[in-house]
Amino acid sequence: MEERILALRKELEHHNYLYYVLSQPVISDYDYDMLMKELEQLEKEYPQLADPNSPTQRVGNDVNLEFQQVRHQYPMLSLDNTYSEDELADFDARVKKELTDDCRYVCELKYDGLSVSLTYRNGALLRAVTRGDGIQGDDVTANVRTIRSVPLKLRGNDFPEEFEIRGEVVMLHGTFEKLNAERAETGETPFANPRNAASGTLKMQNSAQVAKRPLDCFLYFLLGEKLPAGSHFDNLEKAREWGFKIPLYAAVCNTIEEVAAFIAKWEKERDKLPFDIDGIVVKVDNLSQQKQLGMRAKSPRWAVAYKFPAERVETLLESISYQVGRTGAITPVANLSPVRLAGTTVKRASLHNADQIQLLDIRVGDTVYVEKGGEIIPKVIGVNREKRPADCPPTVFISRCPECDSVLQRNEGEAAWFCPNRNCPPQVKGRLEHFISRKAMNIDSLGEGKIELLYDKGLVHIASDLYHLTAAQITGLEKVITDEEGNRRKIAFGTRTAENMLSGIEASKNVPFERVLYAIGIRYVGETIAQKLARSFKNIDALAKASYEEMIAVDEIGGRIAGSVVDFFAQADNVALIENLKQAGLQLAVDESAFRQKSDVLEGKSIVVSGVFSIPRDDIKKIIEEHGGKNTGSISSNTSYVLAGEKMGPEKLKKAEKLKVPVISEEEFYRLIGYS
Ligand code: IVH
């Protein structure tokens, strides 16, 4: 029976390849299903012959995964961006200057998805990891197995014993539209663009769910010790033979003019592709030349991304509405005649603030230019004056809060008007939403409008109210809500939902102090600042007592933040909130035992970190502490090392030389602590 199972797997994998990679199926869906059914049956009968890379496993399973963190064998770098032909010519000149021989380039599309790194051993998929911070990412192997265009077993036999291949997981436009239509029907918030949808899908905890939302994976980079060829292009051709989906759009260019022509062609034709691209990637083809050119801290010198200018469209500004945020800031929002922009339909766009409206003289009735900046929220960037109707009055920014009618205020030197009433409903709800959000207390059982319902029913007003909720209070509550897009949906709390909500709230009592501090929502105290304050002051009482001067003495805490923290603790209702949270049992002090010392190789060493690194500088500092070292701000004769990244200031370098303090690179640092 083993033979039949193996034969079926091979045959199915082959048809899978013909269908999903080459788009040239040779058997009917029915015949394919029959083969699959036979294999499923046999695997059920002979569980000892199971294989995670069997084609039957592509449907995923219902196991909920907490993703494991995996260290990349080679860091996952990003690319330098260029936006013009001039910058491209600079890249070409830098390459030519460094290389003695002629070089040719490979141009590829820059797929707009999320990058993954796949490792194969002995021709079978071993592991799939997301980019993460470039040094380590999430192990998403179970989810990637469901992507039909990723081979689980390779074809042929001339692949290296072990290698890595990188690519982009994307969602095709058709799948995206269908998924969003379904979400609208079931009342879920639609994804903003295919990239978010792909990323949201790949990070789902349940691979059976992932399998239901077909993703695709385009590969573009082969890494390993023993690659088949000395040319990037040839390696990818080889990888295509092994069964990978290597898109056919790539081209070899012998001159930078040919590169420019490739870019121009795709800038014009990108709309015709069934997936999103945000530019073109230009790579030096020859691997030994790549090696010669080497790396910068975050990106290779042998490649560059040419980013397409943001797409811009014209549409009618129908009206302006005003939203009140968590801090009371008023955001003007443009309501537009629906218009297609970069793959999605846009109905609303940001108008920034009152100054911007005045500066651009934006009026209702105008035909405005809308652009997608960084793909997130589209924004209005100007007005087509020629199309302005004669009777279009200038916009007068509101002077009272649209929610509670308070007179709006504006602080000296700040652009935003804000509502000063801290009890204004959107502010109260906003603070609660922030409190439960993922990076704060992460109570996802309260997401998707549930907080709104609890607030509307008068059950929660401040965060600490959450910890007094009972099942009896919340079971059976229901409400119809209308989201920003005007979609209506009903939410109702059954017994299960209620239990779920309460256990989520209970679990949040273990969230570490630094995140509680972020959750409380002190103005200007973002995630990183909360971390810094927590580490320096160790508990909430010490922080509440700290003076402005004590606070600005902390590395990276400036006057604006210190002022805001002092103000916060000066208000009686905030002091009461903290007291209530304390009563509820939240973590309001750092747990010293949670700090994991990984080694003591840097014991007694004072290190100054300066410049730009392949990972955020704070992460470097954390690694130093984890290995027993101490971070210091300025170079002195007591400094053990200066850890120098890219763009470190020449003054610092001089000072280090003068004081004979050793300067080490990021790579040397990793070697020092045994990471590579
Ligand atoms: S090569 C060291 N090729 O763009 C070079 N990247 O901005 C590694 N991307 O993280 C990248 N299409 O997620 C390469 N044809 C392509 C690409 C591509 C999309 C993404 C990738 C990378 C990001 C860098």
Side-chain angles (χ1 to χ4, degrees), residues 3-17:
E3 241 169 63
R4 179 64 188 152
I5 290 184
L6 293 179
L8 277 168
R9 283 181 185 156
K10 204 156 180 193
E11 191 174 352
L12 279 161
E13 193 65 33
H14 177 66
H15 289 305
N16 195 65
Y17 168 75

mmCIF file of all heavy atoms in Angstrom, residues 3-17:
data_model
loop_
_atom_site.group_PDB
_atom_site.id
_atom_site.type_symbol
_atom_site.label_atom_id
_atom_site.label_comp_id
_atom_site.label_asym_id
_atom_site.label_seq_id
_atom_site.Cartn_x
_atom_site.Cartn_y
_atom_site.Cartn_z
ATOM 1 N N GLU A 3 3.401 1.873 -1.605
ATOM 2 C CA GLU A 3 3.737 2.254 -2.981
ATOM 3 C C GLU A 3 2.628 3.082 -3.623
ATOM 4 O O GLU A 3 2.874 4.101 -4.247
ATOM 5 C CB GLU A 3 3.904 0.978 -3.811
ATOM 6 C CG GLU A 3 5.287 0.834 -4.387
ATOM 7 C CD GLU A 3 5.460 -0.555 -4.964
ATOM 8 O OE1 GLU A 3 4.735 -0.886 -5.924
ATOM 9 O OE2 GLU A 3 6.304 -1.302 -4.431
ATOM 10 N N ARG A 4 1.384 2.606 -3.406
ATOM 11 C CA ARG A 4 0.238 3.318 -3.996
ATOM 12 C C ARG A 4 0.136 4.737 -3.400
ATOM 13 O O ARG A 4 -0.097 5.711 -4.093
ATOM 14 C CB ARG A 4 -1.044 2.516 -3.723
ATOM 15 C CG ARG A 4 -2.325 3.154 -4.256
ATOM 16 C CD ARG A 4 -2.328 3.250 -5.775
ATOM 17 N NE ARG A 4 -3.464 4.020 -6.274
ATOM 18 C CZ ARG A 4 -3.460 4.709 -7.405
ATOM 19 N NH1 ARG A 4 -2.365 4.743 -8.150
ATOM 20 N NH2 ARG A 4 -4.525 5.363 -7.797
ATOM 21 N N ILE A 5 0.347 4.809 -2.091
ATOM 22 C CA ILE A 5 0.259 6.120 -1.430
ATOM 23 C C ILE A 5 1.306 7.063 -2.021
ATOM 24 O O ILE A 5 1.006 8.202 -2.399
ATOM 25 C CB ILE A 5 0.433 5.968 0.103
ATOM 26 C CG1 ILE A 5 -0.802 5.280 0.677
ATOM 27 C CG2 ILE A 5 0.656 7.319 0.768
ATOM 28 C CD1 ILE A 5 -0.819 5.140 2.181
ATOM 29 N N LEU A 6 2.532 6.546 -2.143
ATOM 30 C CA LEU A 6 3.605 7.400 -2.672
ATOM 31 C C LEU A 6 3.315 7.817 -4.105
ATOM 32 O O LEU A 6 3.533 8.960 -4.505
ATOM 33 C CB LEU A 6 4.956 6.686 -2.575
ATOM 34 C CG LEU A 6 5.463 6.461 -1.142
ATOM 35 C CD1 LEU A 6 6.793 5.722 -1.138
ATOM 36 C CD2 LEU A 6 5.598 7.794 -0.399
ATOM 37 N N ALA A 7 2.777 6.851 -4.880
ATOM 38 C CA ALA A 7 2.486 7.150 -6.288
ATOM 39 C C ALA A 7 1.387 8.204 -6.386
ATOM 40 O O ALA A 7 1.465 9.142 -7.188
ATOM 41 C CB ALA A 7 2.065 5.868 -7.011
ATOM 42 N N LEU A 8 0.373 8.052 -5.531
ATOM 43 C CA LEU A 8 -0.728 9.029 -5.552
ATOM 44 C C LEU A 8 -0.225 10.422 -5.186
ATOM 45 O O LEU A 8 -0.599 11.419 -5.795
ATOM 46 C CB LEU A 8 -1.818 8.616 -4.563
ATOM 47 C CG LEU A 8 -2.821 7.588 -5.061
ATOM 48 C CD1 LEU A 8 -3.653 7.062 -3.894
ATOM 49 C CD2 LEU A 8 -3.736 8.190 -6.139
ATOM 50 N N ARG A 9 0.623 10.472 -4.163
ATOM 51 C CA ARG A 9 1.146 11.772 -3.738
ATOM 52 C C ARG A 9 1.902 12.433 -4.874
ATOM 53 O O ARG A 9 1.754 13.617 -5.152
ATOM 54 C CB ARG A 9 2.095 11.602 -2.548
ATOM 55 C CG ARG A 9 1.340 11.367 -1.262
ATOM 56 C CD ARG A 9 2.296 11.221 -0.102
ATOM 57 N NE ARG A 9 1.564 10.877 1.102
ATOM 58 C CZ ARG A 9 2.081 10.245 2.152
ATOM 59 N NH1 ARG A 9 3.357 9.892 2.142
ATOM 60 N NH2 ARG A 9 1.345 9.980 3.196
ATOM 61 N N LYS A 10 2.715 11.626 -5.551
ATOM 62 C CA LYS A 10 3.528 12.168 -6.630
ATOM 63 C C LYS A 10 2.630 12.674 -7.761
ATOM 64 O O LYS A 10 2.836 13.764 -8.297
ATOM 65 C CB LYS A 10 4.456 11.052 -7.146
ATOM 66 C CG LYS A 10 5.675 11.594 -7.799
ATOM 67 C CD LYS A 10 6.816 10.640 -7.800
ATOM 68 C CE LYS A 10 7.947 11.381 -8.504
ATOM 69 N NZ LYS A 10 9.020 10.539 -8.864
ATOM 70 N N GLU A 11 1.640 11.874 -8.066
ATOM 71 C CA GLU A 11 0.757 12.238 -9.170
ATOM 72 C C GLU A 11 -0.028 13.511 -8.837
ATOM 73 O O GLU A 11 -0.128 14.435 -9.652
ATOM 74 C CB GLU A 11 -0.200 11.075 -9.440
ATOM 75 C CG GLU A 11 -0.960 11.265 -10.737
ATOM 76 C CD GLU A 11 -1.809 10.059 -11.113
ATOM 77 O OE1 GLU A 11 -1.699 9.011 -10.440
ATOM 78 O OE2 GLU A 11 -2.589 10.190 -12.077
ATOM 79 N N LEU A 12 -0.540 13.557 -7.621
ATOM 80 C CA LEU A 12 -1.315 14.738 -7.229
ATOM 81 C C LEU A 12 -0.441 15.992 -7.195
ATOM 82 O O LEU A 12 -0.849 17.064 -7.628
ATOM 83 C CB LEU A 12 -1.961 14.513 -5.859
ATOM 84 C CG LEU A 12 -3.247 13.691 -5.912
ATOM 85 C CD1 LEU A 12 -3.581 13.119 -4.544
ATOM 86 C CD2 LEU A 12 -4.414 14.535 -6.438
ATOM 87 N N GLU A 13 0.763 15.844 -6.695
ATOM 88 C CA GLU A 13 1.678 16.988 -6.625
ATOM 89 C C GLU A 13 1.975 17.493 -8.051
ATOM 90 O O GLU A 13 2.050 18.687 -8.306
ATOM 91 C CB GLU A 13 2.966 16.570 -5.903
ATOM 92 C CG GLU A 13 3.878 17.716 -5.478
ATOM 93 C CD GLU A 13 3.300 18.665 -4.418
ATOM 94 O OE1 GLU A 13 2.538 18.228 -3.555
ATOM 95 O OE2 GLU A 13 3.622 19.868 -4.481
ATOM 96 N N HIS A 14 2.084 16.528 -8.975
ATOM 97 C CA HIS A 14 2.342 16.878 -10.366
ATOM 98 C C HIS A 14 1.159 17.667 -10.955
ATOM 99 O O HIS A 14 1.335 18.721 -11.562
ATOM 100 C CB HIS A 14 2.580 15.587 -11.149
ATOM 101 C CG HIS A 14 2.778 15.811 -12.622
ATOM 102 N ND1 HIS A 14 3.874 16.484 -13.110
ATOM 103 C CD2 HIS A 14 2.019 15.472 -13.695
ATOM 104 C CE1 HIS A 14 3.771 16.553 -14.441
ATOM 105 N NE2 HIS A 14 2.654 15.949 -14.814
ATOM 106 N N HIS A 15 -0.052 17.182 -10.724
ATOM 107 C CA HIS A 15 -1.222 17.896 -11.251
ATOM 108 C C HIS A 15 -1.396 19.253 -10.596
ATOM 109 O O HIS A 15 -1.822 20.218 -11.222
ATOM 110 C CB HIS A 15 -2.488 17.049 -11.075
ATOM 111 C CG HIS A 15 -2.508 15.867 -11.990
ATOM 112 N ND1 HIS A 15 -2.368 15.992 -13.353
ATOM 113 C CD2 HIS A 15 -2.602 14.539 -11.739
ATOM 114 C CE1 HIS A 15 -2.395 14.789 -13.900
ATOM 115 N NE2 HIS A 15 -2.520 13.889 -12.940
ATOM 116 N N ASN A 16 -1.041 19.260 -9.340
ATOM 117 C CA ASN A 16 -1.087 20.509 -8.592
ATOM 118 C C ASN A 16 -0.169 21.544 -9.253
ATOM 119 O O ASN A 16 -0.524 22.703 -9.457
ATOM 120 C CB ASN A 16 -0.585 20.181 -7.193
ATOM 121 C CG ASN A 16 -0.902 21.267 -6.224
ATOM 122 O OD1 ASN A 16 -2.053 21.524 -5.959
ATOM 123 N ND2 ASN A 16 0.123 21.924 -5.743
ATOM 124 N N TYR A 17 1.024 21.086 -9.586
ATOM 125 C CA TYR A 17 2.024 21.947 -10.229
ATOM 126 C C TYR A 17 1.498 22.438 -11.585
ATOM 127 O O TYR A 17 1.549 23.621 -11.906
ATOM 128 C CB TYR A 17 3.314 21.142 -10.385
ATOM 129 C CG TYR A 17 4.365 21.769 -11.268
ATOM 130 C CD1 TYR A 17 5.122 22.845 -10.816
ATOM 131 C CD2 TYR A 17 4.614 21.262 -12.550
ATOM 132 C CE1 TYR A 17 6.098 23.418 -11.614
ATOM 133 C CE2 TYR A 17 5.590 21.828 -13.350
ATOM 134 C CZ TYR A 17 6.323 22.903 -12.886
ATOM 135 O OH TYR A 17 7.286 23.463 -13.682
#
